[in-house]
Amino acid sequence: KNARDRGGGDDLLRSMFPKHIAEALMNGEKPPEDKRECATVFFCDIVGFTTLSSNLESHQVSDMLDRLFMQFDSAAKRYGVYKIETIGDCYIGVTNLTESQVSDHVARMAHFALEAVKAARATLVLPEKPSMGHVVIRVGFDSGPLVGSVVGTTNKKYTIFGNTVNTASRMESTGMPNCIQCTERAADLLRMQCSALEGSVTLTERGAVEVKGKGSMKTYFLQSVHVPGLEKSEEEESATSSSEEEVEEDMAADGEPSPL
């Protein structure tokens, strides 16, 4: 029974933390900080969420968010985006932090951001009342230095810190409905990565935007991106998941601890 209980606890840690962080916690160690010179952070929220919440029952709001974020989670897996957390209607993700994605982290995030907007456009606010329309979101991202670490001793949480996080949040809050806004440095890096990976990208310069705490910043709207080979197909995802489950079952049957 103790072995089963521990196994269940280990599985929970793996689902809540990056693999190397979960391993450290399972070994009773303090997890190391993850530091990157350049990572990409994604922020998204729902336009008019406060008004929607006042017009819907609580369970309807929860259902709407669940339907939307399930699609985000699926897209995040396909493009290698690590989901940091959701706070109310806000969804936060990161690339090139919990795994090495140096050559394509902005391209991955750009693909994911477009998928997020596509998902929102297809998600009804209230399925039983289509006249309420579809979910509308704002998206923002930035690329730059970042630190990820576990904070707290009770209900431990893996979170991210740095100016890049704040700027990505500002890109979202100063954005436009169903648009993806990014900083100039993220746009420049995205162009470089797409060129190096023989992909393509279309960005529209928005111009100078007054950003709280940052002053005037030149920003861009992402229109399209295509970099071949970034997305995992559903078949590949399914095969990977099945393989991992089979390995864990075999090792559990042999009385050995499951792999991370």
Side-chain angles (χ1 to χ4, degrees), residues 3-17 22 26 244 248-249 252 257-260:
R4 287 198 301 270
D5 289 345
R6 180 178 177 182
D10 289 353
D11 289 342
L12 181 60
L13 284 174
R14 292 190 191 99
S15 70
M16 293 174 61
F17 297 97
M26 286 186 286
E244 290 175 350
E248 290 185 3
E249 288 174 1
S258 300
L260 287 176

Side-chain angles (χ1 to χ4, degrees), residues 122-219:
T123 301
L124 288 168
V125 171
L126 199 59
E128 58 266 38
K129 194 175 180 182
S131 61
M132 290 192 70
H134 295 82
V135 176
V136 178
I137 62 174
R138 276 188 308 261
V139 175
F141 67 86
D142 183 32
S143 302
L146 199 65
V147 171
S149 67
V150 174
V151 295
T153 55
T154 303
N155 296 329
K156 293 183 176 70
K157 178 181 175 183
Y158 182 80
T159 192
I160 51 179
F161 303 92
N163 182 58
T164 305
V165 179
N166 299 329
T167 306
S169 175
R170 299 300 185 204
M171 288 299 98
E172 176 273 309
S173 62
T174 60
M176 302 289 288
N178 281 338
C179 289
I180 302 163
Q181 181 172 235
C182 68
T183 58
E184 184 175 22
R185 63 181 179 179
D188 289 344
L189 189 52
L190 177 57
R191 291 192 191 97
M192 290 173 58
Q193 291 188 354
C194 286
S195 176
L197 296 168
E198 299 183 348
S200 61
V201 61
T202 303
L203 292 156
T204 301
E205 183 179 334
R206 184 182 184 185
V209 176
E210 199 63 30
V211 179
K212 183 179 179 182
K214 310 290 180 185
S216 180
M217 296 183 68
K218 183 189 289 187
T219 68

Side-chain angles (χ1 to χ4, degrees), residues 50-98:
T50 301
T51 301
L52 280 176
S53 297
S54 66
N55 293 328
L56 298 174
E57 298 292 333
S58 297
H59 70 89
Q60 293 172 328
V61 174
S62 174
D63 176 69
M64 175 185 68
L65 292 175
D66 187 47
R67 287 183 286 111
L68 179 65
F69 290 163
M70 282 179 65
Q71 295 178 78
F72 284 16
D73 289 348
S74 178
K77 287 182 180 179
R78 291 200 304 275
Y79 289 108
V81 175
Y82 184 79
K83 176 184 177 182
I84 294 295
E85 63 181 335
T86 59
I87 307 172
D89 65 318
C90 180
Y91 190 106
I92 307 170
V94 65
T95 49
N96 199 39
L97 181 64
T98 60

